[in-house]
Amino acid sequence: MSNFRFKRLEKYKVGGTNDLMDLKFPLPKSPSGKVYRWCPNENCSPRLFLLGDSHEPDKLELTKVKRSPGSSETTCPYCGTDSEDGDFNYDGDIEAIKAYFEWAVKRDIDDAIEKIAKDFNRTSQKGNLFSIKMNYKSSHSPEPRIWREDLIRNLACDICGREYGVYAIALFCPDCGGRNLHIHFEREIELILQQIDLAEQIEPGNIELSYRILGNAHEDVLTAFETYQKTCYKFIVRKSYPKIEVDQMIKKGTIGNRFQNIEKAKGLFKNLSYDPFIVLSEDELKLLTINIEKRHVIGHNLSMADETYSATEDREKPGITVEILADDVAKFAETAKKVILDLERQL
């Protein structure tokens, strides 16, 4: 077997000799071409995100990045942890590479022994009283296949152009480390506007379905608004306070649904000596307040005005279906976005 070679492994040879090869295996990729990354911070959740290919930006605003794109470091989009790329390796990928290595070595050895057996049988003398035949049965096990799934949200950083995938919301770009919260909220607005378009395409005779879709879009604005406030608040608290205080400040019982109420949200942000609603004009603050109250009626009272909602003048009377207009939903989303953009500056 002096000429034996690991042919399957040689495809990944980047240096060394035939006897001692330096190998580089590509990481498994999702259908969109992204690889799994795993945050090394054990306190981070959900830790898993995906990275696509890097891109050379046409113009890079250095004031918005933490480091040059394509460097040897990565930032966790969820918790902001910075570390070397290798620290973000996904254990499942390492195990997959080990499984392939084991399979490739075994198959190359099997192939070599099968060839020896065939050559021996072909050249062995025939017609003698005794004959010798070599038999070897290879397992012919199939090549290990690893499936990597894309996460639902796949976006590209508008600073460096790097594509990445996360679970619903992220604070930073994994490549340049720039703040990316605004990209995710803009995606929320995009989806909400698509719902509005869908509602307007419903045939005139099905007004109830159209209304329900608009109602869902309206609810989604506040759901996103609440989630983004909560995410930012928790991140800033973790960066600003010792752990023993953090656990108390961000626990579910302390936060509850306070980010669905402007005054209660202000009370929480007061811990950070910050008021994210100060960026709104008086009219914008009123619009935000009315729509937050309207969302409670839509989500918890089948869109029928109750006594609390009707207490303010110019509101529908109790039992009357509240009005939901496409333009109002869009304005609600844009007003919420102003608050989120100011929150992003605090990260």
Side-chain angles (χ1 to χ4, degrees):
M1 297 182 62
S2 59
N3 295 324
F4 175 76
R5 293 164 56 189
F6 289 105
K7 294 182 180 180
R8 288 177 173 83
L9 294 182
E10 283 180 356
K11 295 186 296 183
Y12 305 105
K13 180 181 176 183
V14 294
T17 65
N18 288 336
D19 295 328
L20 189 62
M21 294 184 287
D22 293 331
L23 305 174
K24 183 177 181 180
F25 289 92
L27 295 175
K29 291 187 177 183
S30 69
S32 68
K34 297 181 180 67
V35 297
Y36 275 21
R37 301 278 80 191
W38 186 256
C39 178
N41 181 359
E42 293 182 356
N43 295 318
C44 176
S45 180
R47 298 181 73 173
L48 177 67
F49 61 97
L50 276 66
L51 265 184
D53 294 332
S54 59
H55 299 277
E56 191 72 30
D58 295 330
K59 184 179 179 181
L60 184 65
E61 296 185 50
L62 296 178
T63 58
K64 294 184 176 182
V65 301
K66 186 178 292 186
R67 61 178 168 272
S68 297
S71 68
S72 61
E73 289 189 7
T74 297
T75 295
C76 174
Y78 306 115
C79 71
T81 294
D82 297 307
S83 193
E84 292 295 317
D85 291 345
D87 294 335
F88 285 84
N89 285 335
Y90 180 64
D91 285 346
D93 288 343
I94 297 173
E95 294 304 315
I97 291 172
K98 288 180 179 178
Y100 176 83
F101 185 92
E102 182 180 349
W103 170 84
V105 168
K106 189 175 186 305
R107 283 300 305 270
D108 281 338
I109 292 175
D110 281 348
D111 290 349
I113 296 176
E114 275 191 331
K115 185 176 185 306
I116 291 173
K118 289 179 181 178
D119 290 344
F120 176 83
N121 294 334
R122 185 171 56 251
T123 58
S124 62
Q125 295 182 355
K126 297 182 179 180
N128 296 334
L129 183 61
F130 298 100
S131 64
I132 300 175
K133 185 176 182 181
M134 181 184 294
N135 288 317
Y136 178 78
K137 188 175 182 180
S138 171
S139 64
H140 291 294
S141 57
E143 178 180 342
R145 297 291 182 180
I146 305 300
W147 176 255
R148 293 286 178 256
E149 293 182 339
D150 282 305
L151 300 180
I152 290 178
R153 173 149 295 175
N154 291 278
L155 297 175
C157 175
D158 64 350
I159 304 171
C160 70
R162 187 66 176 259
E163 296 180 1
Y164 63 97
V166 295
Y167 289 103
I169 179 175
L171 303 175
F172 305 99
C173 169
D175 192 356
C176 69
R179 292 173 291 195
N180 268 190
L181 188 67
H182 63 283
I183 297 176
H184 292 271
F185 200 80
E186 286 169 358
R187 175 58 179 161
E188 303 291 350
I189 294 179
E190 181 183 346
L191 292 170
I192 288 163
L193 294 178
Q194 288 178 11
Q195 290 182 74
I196 292 173
D197 289 342
L198 184 61
E200 292 178 336
Q201 293 172 20
I202 300 297
E203 56 189 30
N206 203 350
I207 188 173
E208 186 175 17
L209 176 58
S210 178
Y211 181 89
R212 283 292 179 91
I213 295 174
L214 274 179
N216 289 337
H218 189 279
E219 286 190 86
D220 286 348
V221 175
L222 186 58
T223 298
F225 187 50
E226 176 189 15
T227 303
Y228 280 64
Q229 288 183 86
K230 188 188 303 180
T231 302
C232 289
Y233 177 77
K234 287 182 176 180
F235 176 84
I236 299 172
V237 166
R238 288 190 179 103
K239 295 292 184 181
S240 306
Y241 288 86
K243 188 176 187 305
I244 191 170
E245 293 183 51
V246 169
D247 293 342
Q248 176 63 31
M249 293 175 69
I250 67 173
K251 71 178 185 178
K252 187 175 181 180
T254 301
I255 294 178
N257 61 357
R258 285 170 173 78
F259 290 113
Q260 292 185 17
N261 180 288
I262 292 176
E263 293 306 317
K264 290 180 180 179
K266 284 183 177 181
L268 285 177
F269 281 115
K270 194 174 181 180
N271 296 324
L272 308 175
S273 301
Y274 169 66
D275 179 5
F277 301 95
I278 201 169
V279 296
L280 300 181
S281 67
E282 186 176 337
D283 288 343
E284 289 171 332
L285 191 60
K286 182 179 180 181
L287 183 148
L288 192 64
T289 302
I290 291 173
N291 279 282
I292 289 175
E293 293 174 359
K294 182 179 287 189
R295 186 268 181 183
H296 176 80
V297 173
I298 295 171
H300 301 288
N301 204 40
L302 276 179
S303 300
M304 295 184 297
D306 56 19
E307 287 76 8
T308 302
Y309 181 79
S310 302
T312 307
E313 59 180 324
D314 298 328
R315 302 279 185 88
E316 292 87 344
K317 294 181 180 180
I320 300 297
T321 301
V322 297
E323 185 178 52
I324 307 176
L325 300 177
D327 287 346
D328 291 343
V329 177
K331 289 177 183 177
F332 181 24
E334 287 297 331
T335 304
K337 178 184 172 182
K338 289 188 68 173
V339 176
I340 299 304
L341 289 181
D342 198 70
L343 260 175
E344 183 185 51
R345 286 189 282 271
Q346 308 301 315
L347 295 179

